[in-house]
Amino acid sequence: MFKYGADPPEKVYADCYDEEEEDFSKDGTPTDLWTFDRATKFFEDLPKEARQPGVVFYVHLIGLDTNGHNFGPQHEVYYNNIRVVDRGIKELQKTIEKAYGNDGRTSYIVTADHGMHDGGSHGDGHPDNTRTPIVAWGAGIRPAAKKPIGHDDYSKNWARLKEFERRDIEQADIAALSTSLVGNNFPVNCVGRLPVDYLDGDEYFRHTALLTNTKSVANMFIHKTKMMSRTHIRFQPFDALANGVLENSIELIEGLLKSGTDFKEANRLTQDLFDKCLAGLRYLQTYDWLFLRTVVTFGYIGWILYCITFVQIRYVGTEGAASISSLALKISAAMFSVITVGIGGFLLAQESRPMYYAYTAFAIFFWFEVIRHSPTLLRLATWRNVGIALIVLAFMEFLVFSFYNRAALSVGLIVVAAFACLRQEWLLAVSCVVSSVFTVLPPIGKSQSLLLIGLGTVVCLVLLAILSLISNSFTMRFLIVNMSASVLAAIVTFQSQMGLDAGEGLSLFTQIHGWGIVFSSIPRIWYCQMTCEPSKPLTTLGVFSAAILPLFIILSVSYEVIFFAAFSTLLIAWVDVEMRTTAKPVIKTGEARMTDRDIPTALTFLFLVNYAFFGTGNIASVSSFQLDSITRLVTQFAPFLMGTLLVLKLLVPFVPLLIALGLIGHYRRLPKFALLILAVSLTDIITINFFFLVRDEGSWLEIGSTISHFIIGNAFIIFFTMLGLLDGVFLASFRGSTREKLE
């Protein structure tokens, strides 16, 4: 990553093993041995370019990361890898010193980019993941002080290190430290604070280095301030550094350093100025947030109102549809034209980014459409509809909460189960109670459980056997084929996992069979159309679940298969209740219109979408993605393929959910995409929440989760569109047969 883009290219030398060497089914220690071996050979035959001052050597040891993910940080393989790395660093240091004639001018820094919890993953805010080592020694680095200070409960009992001072720094500070040690200019956009306690030398040298570091950050602030003051209309500068405060502070600190009278006060003033510069950069970074958030929020609200209008006109009925008069339309068009030109000129004058224009155009277009069809919306403004809107809003806020607390979905299922018991809907009640268990269980983690995979397979086979007894002979034969494929998938899963656990790797035989199961899912799902029975929609739902089951088995590591059985049963119960409690549309030809009864169906669908996402873990968490679920198919490092398989596993539960919603829509004879578009019109309520909850500070999880939640909220539109297209493919034959029978 450091070599590509270097100018000139020969300025950076790099060497790396092939991707195939990073195999997640084997011990990763050999990759570290390879790295030490190549580094040793490099220093034994050191080129002349590497003998000049200011050269940086970067040695990346991936084995510990690979073994941590694969075996966990408490495994003996991981401990052995640590011993190998310790010995390797010791020997490499001797080689480096020998290469440079033991001149004592080399500095060493050993650190890591992240920690790891016992589950073999990282990304959340737990100290095990955010706490990383920093060990520095050599030229220009102050020897460790032999005094037991700076320790906490984590390090106070370290046998050989508790006697020395522990000096904690931020990860960004390492860049500043490295730069200072080699004597280079501080990198552009480096906001790390130089840890002066790490530096050797006298007070003047160390505090002058810190001031140089502060000036570098101050120059970034000055440069960005000049840019924004040039482009922004009536720019308001950062008060804490305005009116010469920055220049006067630097002048005062320089005077104290030159006089040598009060280094402590110089250090305090420098640290304070550094903090103000960081605050100033933050001020400039967020300067346009008020404008952006206002425009984006108006855009989302306009989109929601536009979707409601579209549903009312297209799917509810034309008797409630109305538009403004031609005169009012011309006045509105003129008004929005003026607004467009005004905001466009404002953005142009400020040299705004292209996305700013897109956000503004998005908002203006949808609000013009809202004004254009405002009579339609005004006719909906009844007290009854306001009450419905408040209920819908409360439900959507509940779904937002479930993104942060999976257990909320369990509460929702228990409430539904209670109402189902009152109505004597026993299948729905039981399936809700069983399904509520999964969202209070810990997310799928590192520990494999072949027992749970086998138990889940048995439960699914029993349910499919019951389903086959109430099906025709053609459907029964298809179910038997899928049951056989499920048994084969379980066998392949057991064989491959036992081979991986034994350290034998993944055999070619089981890998071929595993990929065969994956690819055979496509024709089996497609073939489901041939087994659809118009008179038995519940059987149709079961057939599709059976077709996708083998794929889910081979990608499971724990209780996912049991979850899939419970989820499919819950969907069958939902469809059954919807069809038995909803009267068939009494129409001879054409399509039925949407009514208020379709709103609870759309809300239930959105609830089940969340449940499908979070039933086995928090998909918006970096630390929830475990490679164990795909190592039965691919073990060598292949980011795109691995990512595709992980996403495929996440999408499997949506196949039966899609079929369930399609069956309900076809039963009610609703237009194609009607229920999906109704759901889409509500999802941006979730997105607006996530937009204001996005964070850009904190741990990987705190930042990544808020961003991924926002992305998921926006992706609902694309995701539901894809579901609608699949609905047209999966249920094409069923739709035709059903309507012929109804007619």
Side-chain angles (χ1 to χ4, degrees):
M1 71 175 72
F2 299 104
K3 181 178 181 179
Y4 298 112
D7 185 21
E10 59 272 12
K11 188 175 183 179
V12 178
Y13 167 83
D15 195 5
C16 184
Y17 44 78
D18 295 330
E19 289 183 355
E20 292 75 14
E21 297 298 322
E22 192 174 350
D23 193 327
F24 289 90
S25 68
K26 301 177 182 178
D27 183 357
T29 307
T31 58
D32 289 344
L33 292 172
W34 184 97
T35 303
F36 282 125
D37 180 65
R38 288 302 181 96
T40 300
K41 291 180 179 178
F42 176 83
F43 285 106
E44 287 176 346
D45 189 19
L46 196 64
K48 63 178 182 180
E49 293 84 1
R51 296 185 180 276
Q52 57 189 330
V55 177
V56 177
F57 300 100
Y58 179 79
V59 180
H60 184 213
L61 303 167
I62 194 64
L64 283 172
D65 185 76
T66 302
N67 283 331
H69 285 300
N70 196 25
F71 300 98
Q74 302 299 330
H75 198 279
E76 180 58 31
V77 172
Y78 189 83
Y79 287 147
N80 179 67
N81 199 164
I82 291 178
R83 299 185 192 101
V84 170
V85 169
D86 282 347
R87 290 194 299 267
I89 291 175
K90 181 179 180 180
E91 296 301 321
L92 184 59
Q93 180 187 359
K94 293 180 181 179
T95 304
I96 294 173
E97 292 297 335
K98 182 179 179 181
Y100 285 100
N102 297 306
D103 60 3
R105 297 177 59 190
T106 305
S107 307
Y108 301 88
I109 297 177
V110 177
T111 187
D113 58 338
H114 58 76
M116 184 172 287
H117 59 65
D118 290 346
S121 190
H122 53 84
D124 58 38
H126 192 277
D128 284 350
N129 300 326
T130 60
R131 182 171 43 215
T132 57
I134 169 70
V135 184
W137 72 97
I141 298 176
R142 191 178 186 181
K146 197 168 184 179
K147 46 185 178 180
I149 61 175
H151 291 272
D152 55 14
D153 291 338
Y154 181 74
S155 64
K156 68 180 182 180
N157 294 321
W158 288 356
R160 300 174 62 182
L161 295 178
K162 65 181 181 181
E163 300 177 0
F164 294 91
E165 180 183 3
R166 173 177 152 184
R167 303 174 187 151
D168 291 359
I169 62 175
E170 300 291 333
Q171 278 191 329
D173 301 342
I174 298 176
L177 175 61
S178 303
T179 302
S180 179
L181 289 172
V182 297
N184 289 341
N185 294 328
F186 287 94
V188 176
N189 297 322
C190 173
V191 293
R193 189 192 309 256
L194 179 64
V196 291
D197 289 340
Y198 275 60
L199 296 180
D200 199 6
D202 57 26
E203 293 282 346
Y204 178 80
F205 166 76
R206 292 190 291 118
H207 291 99
T208 300
L210 177 61
L211 178 59
T212 303
N213 175 214
T214 304
K215 286 181 178 180
S216 174
V217 179
N219 284 334
M220 284 191 284
F221 169 77
I222 294 171
H223 176 69
K224 293 184 178 182
T225 299
K226 288 180 178 179
M227 288 181 58
M228 297 190 69
S229 62
R230 180 177 59 83
T231 58
H232 283 63
I233 300 173
R234 302 188 66 179
F235 174 73
Q236 297 295 322
F238 183 57
D239 289 338
L241 294 175
N243 301 319
V245 172
L246 176 58
E247 294 78 5
N248 293 336
S249 298
I250 293 177
E251 184 178 350
L252 175 60
I253 296 170
E254 288 178 336
L256 289 173
L257 291 177
K258 289 179 180 179
S259 66
T261 56
D262 196 344
F263 288 112
K264 186 176 180 180
E265 177 64 11
N267 179 71
R268 187 190 68 80
L269 292 175
T270 307
Q271 299 283 3
D272 180 65
L273 181 59
F274 192 97
D275 291 334
K276 288 180 179 179
C277 289
L278 289 182
L281 289 173
R282 179 68 177 175
Y283 171 80
L284 298 176
Q285 179 187 0
T286 59
Y287 189 83
D288 291 329
W289 276 20
L290 178 61
F291 170 77
L292 282 177
R293 286 181 169 178
T294 302
V295 170
V296 172
T297 302
F298 267 91
Y300 280 126
I301 295 174
W303 163 256
I304 294 171
L305 295 176
Y306 173 79
C307 286
I308 293 174
T309 304
F310 180 84
V311 170
Q312 176 68 24
I313 296 173
R314 175 66 177 82
Y315 297 126
V316 175
T318 56
E319 62 276 2
S323 301
I324 58 178
S325 65
S326 58
L327 177 60
L329 179 61
K330 292 179 180 178
I331 295 174
S332 299
M335 180 182 67
F336 275 91
S337 297
V338 172
I339 293 174
T340 302
V341 173
I343 297 180
F346 172 76
L347 296 176
L348 185 63
Q350 297 202 145
E351 300 181 12
S352 300
R353 299 174 183 176
M355 287 304 299
Y356 286 33
Y357 294 91
Y359 297 147
T360 304
F362 178 85
I364 291 176
F365 171 78
F366 286 115
W367 274 102
F368 175 75
E369 291 297 320
V370 169
I371 297 299
R372 178 185 174 190
H373 297 287
S374 55
T376 300
L377 290 173
L378 292 175
R379 292 183 183 182
L380 295 175
T382 63
W383 287 112
R384 180 175 180 275
N385 288 339
V386 170
I388 293 175
L390 291 176
I391 294 174
V392 170
L393 181 62
F395 184 83
M396 300 306 290
E397 292 300 317
F398 168 78
L399 293 184
V400 171
F401 179 73
S402 71
F403 271 74
Y404 296 92
N405 192 332
R406 297 167 57 232
L409 299 172
S410 297
V411 175
L413 288 169
I414 293 298
V415 171
V416 174
F419 280 99
C421 289
L422 294 176
R423 299 182 58 177
Q424 297 184 345
E425 299 287 354
W426 303 117
L427 178 61
L428 179 61
V430 172
S431 59
C432 282
V433 171
V434 174
S435 298
S436 68
V437 173
F438 297 98
T439 42
V440 294
L441 293 175
I444 296 296
K446 181 70 184 172
S447 57
Q448 298 259 0
S449 179
L450 295 178
L451 176 62
L452 289 177
I453 295 175
L455 178 61
T457 303
V458 171
V459 171
C460 290
L461 292 176
V462 171
L463 294 176
L464 292 178
I466 296 173
L467 182 64
S468 65
L469 296 177
I470 60 175
S471 305
N472 60 33
S473 58
F474 185 75
T475 302
M476 180 183 295
R477 288 194 296 271
F478 184 71
L479 286 172
I480 292 174
V481 169
N482 285 291
M483 291 168 67
S484 302
S486 299
V487 173
L488 178 61
I491 294 174
V492 171
T493 298
F494 274 63
Q495 288 180 336
S496 59
Q497 193 56 49
M498 287 188 290
L500 292 171
D501 292 341
E504 300 171 356
L506 186 64
S507 69
L508 181 61
F509 177 79
T510 54
Q511 191 172 20
I512 291 175
H513 279 76
W515 280 107
I517 291 170
V518 172
F519 287 115
S520 67
S521 299
I522 300 175
R524 282 187 283 106
I525 295 174
W526 184 266
Y527 196 65
C528 285
Q529 295 184 83
M530 305 301 297
T531 66
C532 291
E533 297 182 68
S535 59
K536 296 182 179 180
L538 301 183
T539 303
T540 299
L541 180 56
V543 166
F544 274 98
S545 298
I548 203 72
L549 175 61
L551 172 62
F552 203 59
I553 290 175
I554 205 167
L555 292 175
S556 298
V557 297
S558 185
Y559 59 80
E560 301 103 305
V561 184
I562 305 176
F563 160 79
F564 186 74
F567 184 62
S568 298
T569 305
L570 175 62
L571 293 178
I572 290 175
W574 174 45
V575 174
D576 178 55
V577 170
E578 289 279 5
M579 290 185 174
R580 286 191 294 100
T581 58
T582 303
K584 289 184 178 181
V586 185
I587 56 175
K588 294 183 178 181
T589 58
E591 297 171 327
R593 312 306 295 177
M594 296 187 75
T595 62
D596 292 345
R597 72 185 179 189
D598 296 311
I599 297 177
T601 302
L603 295 178
T604 303
F605 171 73
L606 291 176
F607 177 89
L608 293 173
V609 166
N610 273 32
Y611 182 75
F613 269 133
F614 300 115
T616 58
N618 182 1
I619 72 153
S621 168
V622 177
S623 61
S624 69
F625 285 94
Q626 298 288 345
L627 296 179
D628 303 69
S629 60
I630 61 174
T631 51
R632 297 162 201 142
L633 299 171
V634 56
T635 59
Q636 295 175 345
F637 184 66
F640 179 78
L641 179 59
M642 288 178 167
T644 301
L645 289 173
L646 286 171
V647 172
L648 180 63
K649 177 184 176 180
L650 294 173
L651 296 180
V652 164
F654 289 95
V655 173
L657 177 58
L658 164 66
I659 303 304
L661 186 70
L663 290 172
I664 295 172
H666 297 329
Y667 176 82
R668 294 179 181 173
R669 301 194 69 181
L670 293 174
K672 191 176 180 181
F673 303 136
L675 289 174
L676 277 175
I677 291 179
L678 178 59
V680 166
S681 66
L682 303 175
T683 55
D684 273 336
I685 298 175
I686 296 177
T687 308
I688 291 176
N689 280 269
F690 291 151
F691 176 66
F692 284 96
L693 292 172
V694 168
R695 296 182 56 180
D696 59 353
E697 294 180 316
S699 69
W700 289 7
L701 179 66
E702 292 165 343
I703 297 173
S705 293
T706 58
I707 294 175
S708 55
H709 286 161
F710 179 60
I711 293 174
I712 290 172
N714 282 290
F716 272 135
I717 299 174
I718 300 174
F719 181 65
F720 287 164
T721 301
M722 293 173 59
L723 289 181
L725 295 175
L726 290 175
D727 170 67
V729 174
F730 288 161
L731 296 181
S733 61
F734 183 83
R735 182 186 296 110
S737 302
T738 302
R739 295 196 172 174
E740 287 176 6
K741 178 163 183 167
L742 287 173
E743 290 171 6

